[in-house]
Amino acid sequence: MSATTPSQAAHETGTYKTYSGSCHCGTVKFEVDTALTPANRCNCSLCRRKGALMSPVFEADRLRIVAGEDALTLYQFNTRVARHYFCRHCGIYPFHQTRRDPKLWRANLGCLEGVDVYALEESDVANGASLSVVEDA
């Protein structure tokens, strides 16, 4: 029996949808095929500070940058595996490559058009802090 990837599972259950998203100033625009739930937060030092509600994980080919790729700034810390992207103009985080599995990504649900993050049910907080190799990272 073969393993089911997150995107396959979403596709099979019909929970994924294509969303348009952008940073606050609109310079970075993207499309993503994702489910909205289970929405997730993380307790690593960066996520605790940014407080974003994130999509379930998806594969890289589910994310398409439509405009503003040159405005994206990469931030890495600690193990330098995760790749956190921010708009260099407004500072908003639209998406990141995960540390637990670098083949998977998450989007900031607050950046997706038509999504009310306050109406979504959150899942448990991901224990990203346990993946750090130095304290408070």
Side-chain angles (χ1 to χ4, degrees):
M1 177 180 243
S2 64
T4 301
T5 66
S7 289
Q8 287 171 332
H11 178 71
E12 289 168 5
T13 60
T15 58
Y16 86 100
K17 180 180 169 186
T18 301
Y19 293 91
S20 294
S22 68
C23 63
H24 187 256
C25 71
T27 300
V28 175
K29 296 181 187 311
F30 63 97
E31 292 179 341
V32 63
D33 304 325
T34 187
L36 295 180
T37 58
N40 191 271
R41 292 191 194 274
C42 174
N43 69 358
C44 79
S45 60
L46 179 63
C47 290
R48 279 195 327 261
R49 287 166 174 84
K50 71 182 176 191
L53 188 59
M54 299 173 289
S55 70
V57 293
F58 53 84
E59 282 91 8
D61 65 350
R62 302 273 183 193
L63 175 68
R64 296 166 300 284
I65 300 170
V66 176
E69 187 168 2
D70 59 333
L72 287 169
T73 297
L74 171 65
Y75 178 71
Q76 292 181 286
F77 68 101
N78 197 275
T79 62
R80 303 185 73 72
V81 173
R83 301 172 65 87
H84 301 269
Y85 290 92
F86 298 85
C87 172
R88 67 181 168 97
H89 300 291
C90 66
I92 292 298
Y93 140 76
F95 42 78
H96 75 278
Q97 179 184 22
T98 69
R99 180 167 42 174
R100 187 175 303 275
D101 185 344
K103 294 178 286 192
L104 300 177
W105 292 69
R106 291 185 185 270
N108 178 350
L109 294 176
C111 291
L112 303 184
E113 293 176 16
V115 174
D116 179 359
V117 294
Y118 299 104
L120 296 174
E121 186 173 322
E122 293 180 41
S123 69
D124 293 333
V125 173
N127 191 8
S130 70
L131 301 174
S132 296
V133 294
V134 296
E135 193 173 317
D136 198 33

